[in-house]
């Protein structure tokens, strides 16, 4: 049953919220992967016809709760941000295919941009649990937008980058992908705006590094009914628009076709 | 009255449905996903995504946008093509659901439609076709058939000859006279009329200064369009003798009952599945409870109850 | 940019408006009530209720119903008739507001319209007429003019001869091709096109088993119809050279900017006045702030910004 | 400014709520009349396009607050009933023309039906303040729907009537308009469902008793813009559909034309 409840809600940066809710399924039994998402209904009427997809940021197995971190930008996410502990929440998930952790990887790279950073936290956590070292290059527009830096610290070596240099390095995440930094890195995982994903893929493809991209397409249903969320994917020799809500949102970078 | 005593069955085109509620085309894919949410046998019937002759990629993204109490879509008939549908999708659906299956058929030219129907004739895994002459999302596509009564009639006649299954004709609301369209289709032999498909709409991304959808325009659906759909169903039910299937913005049992009372023999639910995947069985429950509370023993007695000129159409 | 520096003026039909926002016909009466809420000089212009030759009683109640993100109305052109409008209402409005006044004109037959316009010719208390050939609420009324391009064109030609004021033609969305309608009106001499009037809709009272509105059907308006209105404005702006006034579901500054970017020279706000009587001046403020934030010095530079085929129409 | 706030909200009968809110105007300065109404916005978005009209039930001049009593029947009133103390409330009012109290009246009759009872409370209060005695015949469907009986007690002699006899007398309010009961009554005031108003008017017109009816028409704007709320009124020799939101909702009974 999708009906669950909000456990905690707090603003953690300028317009960015962290919400904890009781998982709508038994996380242990059901299983879940970093990079999967939750599809959250905005209100209990049908005025908001579309749910809002938010990525798993952290899972707490002991309490069977989930954390999402999101920017309240439009009408829907603002309504979600107005929900208080104890309020009912209609959530579907965990949905889609997330990031795969490859046992035996020595060192991997995480690249996050803006609100693409939160989904990498659960990944960092799981990588650490598998004994895989991670370098996380986390980019934000400006210092007041930066989130979760302390949370990453236990699991990854972190490089913070801001467009305006108000925190960490000044520049874009792609400015920090020099070979000397990526020593020993065998795989990468990226989540962020499409232009960033494309740039990251282009730079790292040249080095022959395999990786995963988490795509962000507007979703209708989130569960494979509408074909609203497709992205062109090259697989088995053909390029087809695949549903990112079912086959993704995470795809092997090599398969993702950018226009 | 006990809600267990309510007879929810309705029938049209020789099919008997256990209840009048079915998912609308394009909002249910082929059933693979929904069967994880509930037993598909709870549905009255299933209408699958538009099927074309060849595989189609559809339109560029973004393909969906939210609007006040509605949404826009510009999927553009993405589908695997009729041969894969017949081979892979329909047999699967038959296996997981013992309810009537209706295949929505689309194309660009009459010949395409005929070829799809002929391919479907070879399958036993469907019970009716729904002729989609009303999709706003294909450029030089079916839309013309859907706005001109003469072209629509020609198309329906051809389809009736070609198809061994009953032909439901799905109408576009983007016309001056929906009654002219419906009557032309009835005269040409349509076994039933379903309406409405989406209204043509648009949204603009004012920061980017361009239409939000990749395709520019899209089809408007959801509760926002319910009053338009209901008016058209009411008018058409009063002007044709074949069964009418009501579609547009249905999200609750009360909505479904409005359409039945307007003269619809059954209803289809589209967008509401995205808001709540459990909506179809919930609507069935709500209709059942309402009937019990109001001492309506047979749901078919509601058909046309608010529309004196409507023939109360149900085979039963 | 400071928001005080934004030039909000737009112009059409020889009128210059201080800003592009005006209340829509039928949603503002004649200004007597609204002036208690805010200074009417904050508006770009005022469009008053449809005026007919004789006094009209309108339709039976209920005349309004709420729908998801919208409403239905079946007022049916209740108004005191043109002579009282000219004698009592327009002079009063002129006194309380120094902004252009547009009188919406309706009727049943061409002769009625002519007579209304001739009566208005004798008044100095208006600046343009808006020809309502699109009201869905009058039985054998203006609606036919609004769905047939040839009849519309004849009507517009006659009005242009009769009226000493510029003629804005208001279109009905209940047509297969809004572009055909707009082009016919432009050819016939329309000085501007405003759109859209309401979509025809219905709601059923399922307990009473009959349509909720006294008149059965009504006109659907409000945010629900915004995507349809925007699409039609976009198409029309790309197909005619006269100014286009956008109407339908506008409730915020962002909505207004969508219509401007689609190609509208100005906008009208209807239903939102009922939700919030202060909405018009608030939209003006929001447009101003948005322009300042986005360094748009003149609001008229937004006209058609998202519609490459639109002529950017403003007299200025 | 219409923006005000909820002070109290409580269920007082089956599906019936009493809400207290801060008046959006200074009641003392602005003035108000029993029978006037407040036009309440359902949410702060434009999804609910129409406000909901609710009658003034009590005014507290000391605190500048207003009480309304209403049945949460549809989606809009249910949302209003969900508002909690401290929540913002967008209210227009007091709107329309209310009941007139005539100094010098000896004894008057109040007839209320169902949710038409609450508006009569402020009237009863003002009548008492003017030294006018009142007989209140208050009808409800059933006992669980009865409201405000104790509130009327200090100001009026009360006869309670229920359709099913579960409280007070069994029957309809019109069954209790016998001449002997109405001894000395010089005027009446009625509020309730239209069939009741019509029946009351018919019975009392025969006796030549003047009175007022509070009409209930569906409203668009509530402030005279839309002509949605009209009722046929015979005035100055002509019958015209007048706007009940401006010219009413209270009209002299003799003027009200029923179909
Ligand atoms: C798989 C996936 C995971 C995501 N995870 C996160 C996350 O963890 N944190 C976070 O802040 N954001 C995340 N997003 C983006 C987030 O879903 C949007 O920001 C949000 O839906 C916008 O809704 P709104 O009500 O603010 O905007 P509105 O403009 O009101 O939204 C209108 C419609 O557009 C869609 N939409 C608008 N912006 C976006 C966008 N950027 N991406 C996708 N759909 C959009 C909405 O879902 C809705 O359907 C994710 C998106 C996807 C596809
Ligand atoms: C002047 C006036 C004063 C009123 N005072 C009170 C009061 O003090 N207490 C009380 O309980 N009710 C009162 N009503 C009735 C109350 O306004 C409706 O019950 C309420 O609007 C219904 O809204 P909803 O959201 O529950 O129903 P919905 O069905 O969601 O409403 C949909 C639309 O219909 C209108 N509507 C539905 N039922 C009625 C009705 N019976 N009368 C008028 N409009 C209706 C709504 O206002 C709205 O526009 C009054 C009505 C009027 C006209
Ligand atoms: C995402 C989406 C895809 C659709 N695809 C089809 C389709 O393939 N064929 C068709 O006839 N109608 C299609 N429709 C229209 C629906 O079947 C239905 O007629 C319309 O959405 C109105 O119903 P609703 O308001 O319940 O959604 C689609 C609608 C949506 C929202
Ligand atoms: C109550 C009401 C009365 C209206 N009366 C008229 C009218 O007299 N003449 C006219 O041209 N349009 C009339 N309209 C249509 C509006 O002017 C407008 O075109 C339509 O409502 C769409 O805009 P909106 O969504 O902002 O309301 C009326 C609309 C409403 C809601
Ligand atoms: S969002 Fe509907 S198929 Fe992916
Ligand atoms: S409710 Fe709009 S005029 Fe009365």
């Amino acid at each position: 049953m999708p009906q669950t409840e909000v456990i905690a809600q707090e603003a953690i940066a300028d317009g960015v919220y962290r919400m904890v809710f009781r998982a709508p399924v038994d996380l242990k039994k059901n299983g879940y992967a970093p990079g999967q998402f939750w599809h959250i209904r905005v209100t209990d009427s049908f005025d908001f016809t579309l749910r809002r997809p938010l990525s798993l940021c952290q899972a707490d197995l002991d309490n069977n709760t989930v954390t999402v971190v999101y920017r309240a930008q439009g009408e829907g996410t603002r309504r979600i941000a107005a929900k208080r502990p104890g309020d009912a929440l209609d959530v579907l998930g965990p949905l889609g295919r997330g990031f795969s952790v490859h046992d035996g990887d020595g060192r991997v790279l995480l690249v996050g941009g803006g609100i693409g950073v939160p989904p990498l936290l659960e990944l960092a956590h799981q990588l650490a649990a598998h004994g895989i070292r991670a370098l996380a290059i986390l980019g934000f527009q400006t210092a007041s937008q930066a989130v979760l830096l302390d949370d990453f610290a236990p699991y990854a070596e972190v490089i913070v980058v801001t467009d305006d240099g108000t925190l960490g390095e000044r520049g874009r995440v792609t400015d920090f992908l020099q070979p000397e930094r990526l020593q020993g890195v065998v795989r990468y995982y990226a989540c962020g705006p499409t232009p960033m994903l494309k740039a990251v893929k282009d730079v790292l493809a040249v080095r022959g590094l395999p990786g995963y991209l988490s795509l962000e397409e507007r979703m209708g249903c989130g569960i494979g009914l509408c074909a609203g969320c497709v992205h062109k994917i090259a697989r088995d020799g053909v390029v087809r628009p695949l549903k990112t809500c079912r086959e993704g949102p995470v795809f092997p970078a090599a398969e993702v076709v950018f226009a | 009255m006990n809600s267990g005593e309510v007879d929810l069955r309705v029938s049209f085109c020789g099919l008997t449905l256990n209840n009048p509620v079915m998912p609308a085309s394009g909002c249910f894919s082929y059933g693979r996903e929904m069967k994880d949410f509930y037993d598909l046998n709870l549905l009255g019937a299933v209408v699958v995504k538009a099927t074309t002759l060849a595989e189609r990629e559809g339109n560029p993204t973004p393909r969906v946008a939210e609007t006040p109490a509605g949404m826009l879509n510009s999927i553009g008939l993405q589908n695997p093509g009729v041969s894969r549908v017949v081979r892979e999708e329909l047999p699967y659906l038959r296996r997981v659901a013992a309810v009537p299956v209706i295949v929505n058929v689309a194309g660009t030219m009459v010949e395409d439609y005929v070829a799809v129907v002929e391919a479907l004739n070879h399958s036993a895994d469907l019970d009716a076709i729904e002729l989609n002459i009303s999709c706003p999302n294909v450029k030089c596509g079916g839309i013309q058939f859907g706005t001109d009564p003469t072209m629509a009639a020609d198309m329906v006649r051809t389809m009736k000859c070609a198809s061994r299954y009953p032909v439901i004709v799905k109408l576009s609301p983007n016309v001056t006279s929906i009654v002219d369209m419906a009557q032309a289709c009835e005269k040409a032999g349509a076994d039933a009329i379903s309406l409405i498909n989406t209204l043509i709409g648009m949204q603009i991304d004012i920061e980017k200064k361009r239409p939000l959808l990749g395709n520019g325009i899209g089809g408007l659906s959801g509760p926002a369009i319910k009053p338009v759909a209901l008016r058209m169903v009411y008018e058409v039910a009063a002007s044709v003798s074949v069964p009418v299937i009501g579609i547009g913005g249905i999200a609750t049992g009360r909505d479904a009952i409005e359409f039945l009372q307007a003269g619809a023999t059954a209803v289809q639910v589209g967008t509401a599945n995205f808001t709540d995947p459990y909506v179809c069985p919930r609507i069935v429950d709500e209709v059942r409870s309402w009937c019990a509370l109001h001492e309506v023993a047979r749901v078919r007695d509601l058909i046309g109850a608010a529309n004196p000129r409507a023939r109360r159409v149900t085979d039963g």
Side-chain angles (χ1 to χ4, degrees), chain B residues 57-79:
Chain B
E57 290 211 340
N59 287 320
T61 59
R63 290 178 173 187
V64 291
E66 195 178 59
T67 70
M71 67 174 285
L72 289 165
N73 90 79
S74 58
I75 308 299
L77 300 184
Q78 178 177 344
N79 82 98

Side-chain angles (χ1 to χ4, degrees), chain A residues 47 49-52 227 240-241, chain B residues 55 63 66 69-70 78 275:
Chain A
D47 297 340
T49 49
L50 303 184
R51 290 166 178 262
R52 298 299 191 267
R240 278 224 175 83
Chain B
E55 175 169 2
R63 290 178 173 187
E66 195 178 59
Q78 178 177 344
T275 319

Side-chain angles (χ1 to χ4, degrees), chain A residues 74-124:
Chain A
E75 185 86 22
T77 48
R78 277 206 296 269
R79 297 271 185 127
I80 293 172
K83 293 186 196 287
R84 295 283 154 264
D87 284 355
L89 196 70
D90 187 340
V91 181
L92 302 175
L95 297 175
R97 300 193 182 169
F99 295 110
S100 303
V101 172
H102 295 252
D103 274 316
D105 279 1
R107 186 172 185 238
V108 302
L109 169 69
L110 312 184
V111 188
I115 207 67
V117 167
L120 298 177
L121 180 58
E122 178 66 24
L123 174 63

Side-chain angles (χ1 to χ4, degrees), chain A residues 223 225, chain B residues 17-19 21-23 27-48 89-101 273 277-281 284:
Chain A
I223 53 175
L225 305 176
Chain B
L17 279 58
N18 287 331
N19 66 64
V21 181
M22 52 195 138
C27 303
F28 194 76
S29 201
Y30 300 94
R32 285 181 195 275
E33 298 80 10
M34 271 313 212
K35 70 145 204 340
D36 297 341
F37 285 86
Y38 56 81
D39 178 358
L40 301 187
N41 291 303
L42 294 172
L43 297 168
V46 161
V47 188
V48 301
E89 301 297 346
L90 299 182
Y92 175 86
L93 184 52
R94 262 294 192 249
R95 234 170 20 248
V96 297
V99 303
V101 170
N273 289 291
Y278 299 94
V279 73
C280 285
V284 175

Side-chain angles (χ1 to χ4, degrees), chain A residues 239-252:
Chain A
V239 176
R240 278 224 175 83
L242 294 192
K243 298 171 179 174
T244 62
C245 70
R246 296 277 292 189
E247 312 289 333
V250 175
F251 291 93

